[in-house]
Amino acid sequence: MRIYISPIMFVMALYFVAMGMAYEFCCSLAAVLLHECAHARVAKKLGYELNVIKLMPYGAALCGNVQLKPKHEVFIAVAGPVFNIFVAVVIAAVWWVLPSSYMFTQAFCYGNIYIGLFNLLPVYPLDGGRVMLALLSGKIKRGKAYTIMRIVSAVCGTVAIALFVLFSVHALNLCLLSVGLFMIVSAFIPDGRAKYRALFAVGNRMEMLKSPLEVKLYAVSRHAVIADVCAMLDPDRYSEFTVIDDNMNECGRFTETQLIAAVKQHGYGKNVGNVFELGIKTNLKKE
């Protein structure tokens, strides 16, 4: 896993240090990292592994090279905010028992609340926007879902900037302005959605096979997309697949090892039938 830190983060760090808020900045950064760890944990449980974490002014982005199933995308997206709120509740409970801890943990608690609630906004690429995108993708085409989310992001950003202008008569709220600009920019930037890479490298599987693994058998259509088949993989089981043709007859079988080998050679966009018809006998073989 690689960590990329946006240059703006260093500028922000210097600003907070100059303003005497270094502790608050560190607490917020810790809350962001916990947020990403929650995403990573749920992703791993679903059979994906984080490839790159990008730390940016408004949180972090998780990057890789596999498109998620909508259901998995929802679970992974909500994990971060839910964990932040959970941490905040635990800290508040500690205050009840040890009131003296308030002055040491206040910034960390508020940082978790802010990160958690902010990421629930229905703005792409925040977690709330990812959830909405996943839910829309289950009902309409992905491209149209992206268009809707960009419109929502632009509207929310416009409202935030309008509020900034309205309140500027009394005081300048630069945070509100920057959030509004972030939302509007997010509506027009190229697709940068979080992706993951499959957690089924040979080394990892051989390590797990030191203890017996349950074998899970699936039946898939020859028209099934490789990305969707990969999403079926279970990190706690070894998967095998039976290929069914249009007449409901078995026309081949392959294992998860052969599937990953096919992915490395052909990518995730092809369907099972394409890979089979290409004659990759080492990856997908007739019975």
Side-chain angles (χ1 to χ4, degrees):
M1 183 176 64
R2 294 173 294 161
I3 298 179
Y4 167 82
I5 304 176
S6 168
I8 302 178
M9 288 292 291
F10 294 104
V11 176
M12 287 183 63
L14 291 175
Y15 170 78
F16 280 104
V17 170
M19 296 296 292
M21 300 175 65
Y23 177 69
E24 287 78 2
F25 176 78
C26 290
C27 287
S28 296
L29 184 60
V32 169
L33 291 176
L34 285 176
H35 182 99
E36 300 309 321
C37 286
H39 285 314
R41 176 61 180 171
V42 174
K44 184 175 182 179
K45 200 67 179 175
L46 293 174
Y48 305 94
E49 185 176 14
L50 302 182
N51 189 19
V52 177
I53 296 180
K54 294 183 178 180
L55 292 176
M56 298 179 293
Y58 288 100
L62 312 175
C63 306
N65 57 10
V66 178
Q67 184 171 332
L68 302 175
K69 295 183 69 174
K71 181 174 69 174
H72 291 175
E73 193 167 13
V74 170
F75 290 150
I76 294 172
V78 300
V82 167
F83 189 69
N84 284 132
I85 300 302
F86 171 76
V87 171
V89 170
V90 170
I91 294 174
V94 172
W95 293 345
W96 184 268
V97 179
L98 298 172
S100 59
S101 66
Y102 178 81
M103 63 180 298
F104 302 106
T105 56
Q106 176 188 7
F108 185 51
C109 180
Y110 290 168
N112 275 281
I113 293 174
Y114 170 77
I115 296 298
L117 295 181
F118 180 74
N119 273 278
L120 287 176
L121 291 175
V123 176
Y124 191 82
L126 299 180
D127 295 324
R130 294 184 188 282
V131 171
M132 285 190 64
L133 177 64
L135 295 176
L136 287 172
S137 298
K139 299 180 180 299
I140 60 178
K141 291 183 178 180
R142 189 81 170 183
K144 188 174 181 180
Y146 275 121
T147 300
I148 293 174
M149 289 311 305
R150 289 190 171 102
I151 292 174
V152 172
S153 298
V155 170
C156 290
T158 302
V159 170
I161 292 177
L163 291 174
F164 163 77
V165 174
L166 181 63
F167 295 148
S168 62
V169 177
H170 304 286
L172 289 177
N173 190 330
L174 296 179
C175 182
L176 193 58
L177 174 63
S178 60
V179 167
L181 292 175
F182 165 76
M183 292 178 178
I184 291 178
V185 170
S186 297
F188 297 101
I189 59 174
D191 176 22
R193 65 185 182 279
K195 297 180 181 178
Y196 302 82
R197 62 186 175 88
L199 182 61
F200 298 94
V202 174
N204 293 335
R205 302 307 272 162
M206 287 303 297
E207 184 67 24
M208 294 189 69
L209 281 169
K210 290 180 179 179
S211 299
L213 276 182
E214 179 184 348
V215 176
K216 196 166 187 178
L217 181 63
Y218 294 93
V220 298
S221 165
R222 64 186 296 109
H223 303 296
V225 178
I226 294 297
D228 292 334
V229 178
C230 287
M232 298 177 188
L233 297 178
D234 187 333
D236 298 319
R237 296 176 176 83
Y238 188 82
S239 301
E240 294 183 350
F241 301 86
T242 297
V243 184
I244 306 297
D245 63 17
D246 296 335
N247 296 317
M248 293 299 294
N249 295 315
E250 179 181 335
C251 58
R253 292 187 180 184
F254 59 94
T255 66
E256 70 173 46
T257 303
Q258 295 164 335
L259 173 64
I260 297 304
V263 168
K264 291 179 180 178
Q265 185 173 357
H266 299 282
Y268 294 90
K270 294 183 179 296
N271 59 43
V272 170
N274 292 145
V275 174
F276 177 77
E277 290 168 0
L278 287 171
I280 308 169
K281 296 181 180 179
T282 58
N283 297 324
L284 181 61
K285 58 184 181 180
K286 287 186 175 180
E287 286 287 310

